[in-house]
Amino acid sequence: MTHAAARPATLEDVARAAGVSRSTASRVIAGTGFASPDARDRVVAAVDQLGYVPNPAARALVRGAGVRLAVAVTGTTSAVLDDPYVDRVVAAAARVCTPQGLGVALHWLPRHAPQALRQLAFDRGVCGIVLVNTTEPVLDAVPRSLRGRIASIGIGSAAVPSFDVDNGGGATAVLHHLHATGRRRIAMVTGPRWLSCAGRSVRAYRQVMREAGLPVRLVRGDFTATRGRAAAREVLDRWPDTDAIFAASDATALGVIAGLRRRGVRVPGDVAVAGFDDIPLAELSTPALTTASHPVGRIATAAAQAVLDRRPTPPATFFPSALVPRDSA
Amino acid sequence: MTHAAARPATLEDVARAAGVSRSTASRVIAGTGFASPDARDRVVAAVDQLGYVPNPAARALVRGAGVRLAVAVTGTTSAVLDDPYVDRVVAAAARVCTPQGLGVALHWLPRHAPQALRQLAFDRGVCGIVLVNTTEPVLDAVPRSLRGRIASIGIGSAAVPSFDVDNGGGATAVLHHLHATGRRRIAMVTGPRWLSCAGRSVRAYRQVMREAGLPVRLVRGDFTATRGRAAAREVLDRWPDTDAIFAASDATALGVIAGLRRRGVRVPGDVAVAGFDDIPLAELSTPALTTASHPVGRIATAAAQAVLDRRPTPPATFFPSALVPRDSA
DNA sequence: CTGAAAGCGCTAACAC
DNA sequence: GTGTTAGCGCTTTCAG
């Protein structure tokens, strides 16, 4: 039973109630060091009875550890933080942190000022960092002191383990599907140039096209729907005989469909459209969007976990992306 | 210039560098108490030069404050945490916390065990709480000790200031639009029964119907698209002459449209459909979804801010919801 | 195996 | 105005 006290119990209270010293109580609770079964039991009972919860601030202070995990998103402006993708990452990280008495902070890392990362590294309140949309310059700016407590969702480096979706595999699956259903002039709307991890799906595209002896038709995108709309027009103007468009994100794909529609092009009748991410609304759009899955929550959970556990981590972990065939392609 | 040190600077270092005592440095940095302009300048310079960042753990410890803001979401199962809406709230809260050296934690509050809230209240690591999807029993379970550092997104109480969208106003705007465009048999798919704040739009619906002398046609929903699909069939079966459906969320509305389509009903030709929330993809669906805006980010920001600032807060703050007319109604 | 004691970095009385 | 001092709650040597 939890006894409701006016003032939350401290370790001192627990120790007194258990008839042991603070040190012993601490050892039992932190699970570090030795303690007799008897002492252990009494401490556990006292903890339970008083509803004791360790004060994470005190703990962090004495251990020299931080109290929050920083999610740092690289981007040109702070607008990159206004993104459902970032929201997912932050929420997933928060779920991982909560049981440990930690919190999550959200930072924008200016793309052209990667030194900002050092600030974060020096903040004694930060126990670890999860990088999002990382670039090579940012990775190069990672100070030694961050070793073992930083991970990246996207590309990684020798010092920074990476966690990401296998966009190469997902893209290949989508493109094979397009090819298998008879499409032969397949254009792709890519992600932003500066985002290296977006390059993997472009490489997959080039390779599939080469193997199939098909022409390469690339249009630069930025993951947004707005850009997708414009990109659709661009594709139509440059290569009027295009019969399929693969977009690097679902939002872009939806924009592409809207753009196509406006020009009187039928989807998937005239042009098939496929996206990437399988966002919740992909299956609700009309036509339902063919896409590839992207387990953002699981990826972010793994990255946050790796940072908190400070456990040896493989340099790169890829999460499979599966084709989700629906109506648009 | 930030001088890169092996060990992050402490207040002690700053004080020494500025030639003052720790207290004076503390006063200047925390902005509390007096300090001569001269001392102030020297401290500021030292902070800058050493790249000093206060240790939030130490600060929280001595002040008896927490180091994280808890976002607590009420629901039957922990699955309520898997919701883009919750993601938005958490991310917005994280942005507010970050500059203060705080983090965000995410908790599930079992709907049938509101006592869980006491646990949170006793956790000395928690500096404040933002309630999401609150119910009356949860509000009743708020302990005194939380006064002044808790806010609710949704319904509030005497002890808990609330921040929410004006769903009554938004619903009214949508319904007037439906009526103005000639719809006369308007059904509504509601939110879950246990969620009181969802009741406001139902009340608005009842009132508009009464004033217009139109029949009330209510189907219970749960904000999901899946339920929307089923609800569409239910509406069609019970009231075949329905010419408009207002859904309490965009996801539901999109589900309704899908369900309608499957039955060969044209939207908006045969039945107009309107949603609520204006999620990013509302404008990308086909037909583009008519809806009412819902500034989740601003609401969450305000709620988090209020909790952190511990500033006197009006008992209820409503954020306007505006009609966003598109193609579906 | 256990307790005493020394701090972690900071703030807030309280003297000067 | 400024410095001195006493902790906040916890972990961790170091003796017993």
Side-chain angles (χ1 to χ4, degrees), chain A residues 16-319:
Chain A
R16 195 171 17 239
V20 299
S21 70
R22 277 214 315 278
S23 332
T24 302
S26 173
R27 281 184 213 109
V28 171
I29 292 166
T32 163
F34 309 90
S36 64
D38 181 51
R40 191 177 305 275
D41 288 350
R42 292 190 354 250
V43 170
V44 169
V47 164
D48 195 48
Q49 208 246 90
L50 296 169
Y52 171 73
V53 183
N55 183 333
R59 201 173 252 195
L61 179 58
V62 68
R63 289 208 282 232
V67 291
R68 59 188 205 276
L69 178 72
V71 172
V73 187
T74 304
T76 310
T77 71
S78 63
V80 285
L81 301 183
D82 299 314
D83 180 341
Y85 174 71
V86 172
D87 293 350
R88 292 281 315 274
V89 172
V90 172
R95 282 175 83 161
V96 174
C97 287
T98 298
Q100 319 228 26
L102 300 172
V104 170
L106 178 55
H107 295 261
W108 161 52
L109 220 55
R111 185 152 78 81
H112 299 297
Q115 325 80 284
L117 190 54
R118 304 195 84 91
Q119 296 267 6
L120 266 186
F122 272 139
D123 186 332
R124 266 120 67 263
V126 172
C127 61
I129 298 184
V130 170
L131 260 16
V132 176
N133 285 0
T134 328
T135 64
E136 273 92 356
V138 169
L139 253 15
D140 291 343
V142 171
R144 298 201 96 71
S145 60
L146 246 25
R147 258 168 207 264
R149 54 193 187 100
I150 185 167
S152 169
I153 297 181
I155 59 167
S157 72
V160 183
S162 83
F163 295 81
D164 205 357
V165 66
D166 174 17
N167 8 33
T172 301
V174 170
L175 291 163
H176 281 164
H177 171 76
L178 255 20
H179 187 262
T181 51
R183 308 292 170 165
R184 290 296 178 271
R185 328 221 164 254
I186 306 173
M188 172 171 183
V189 183
T190 70
R193 175 193 306 278
W194 58 269
L195 194 59
S196 301
C197 61
R200 288 197 297 259
S201 45
V202 177
R203 273 196 294 283
Y205 168 80
R206 287 184 184 283
Q207 182 171 346
V208 173
M209 293 302 104
R210 188 171 52 243
E211 284 170 4
L214 300 178
V216 166
R217 299 178 169 183
L218 283 169
V219 171
R220 175 77 48 193
D222 60 3
F223 291 152
T224 68
T226 308
R227 181 72 196 104
R229 259 212 198 84
R233 287 195 294 270
E234 196 175 327
V235 168
L236 253 25
D237 290 342
R238 291 173 61 183
W239 309 288
D241 64 343
T242 295
D243 61 7
I245 300 180
F246 169 48
S249 84
D250 282 355
T252 302
L254 261 5
V256 165
I257 292 179
L260 253 23
R261 271 250 175 58
R262 180 139 310 188
R263 294 277 278 255
V265 175
R266 286 167 316 176
V267 176
D270 301 322
V271 175
V273 176
F276 192 98
D277 283 344
D278 194 21
I279 57 177
L281 279 84
E283 69 167 320
L284 295 171
S285 71
T286 312
L289 191 65
T290 290
T291 184
S293 58
H294 186 175
V296 180
R298 279 170 47 216
I299 295 171
T301 300
Q305 203 72 260
V307 169
L308 295 190
D309 291 357
R310 272 212 190 57
R311 148 175 54 60
T313 305
T317 309
F318 285 101
F319 290 73

Side-chain angles (χ1 to χ4, degrees), chain A residues 8, chain B residues 116-124 126 129 142-143 145-146 149:
Chain B
L117 190 54
R118 306 194 84 90
Q119 295 267 7
L120 267 187
F122 273 139
D123 187 332
R124 267 123 63 262
V126 172
I129 297 183
V142 170
S145 61
L146 246 25
R149 52 194 189 100

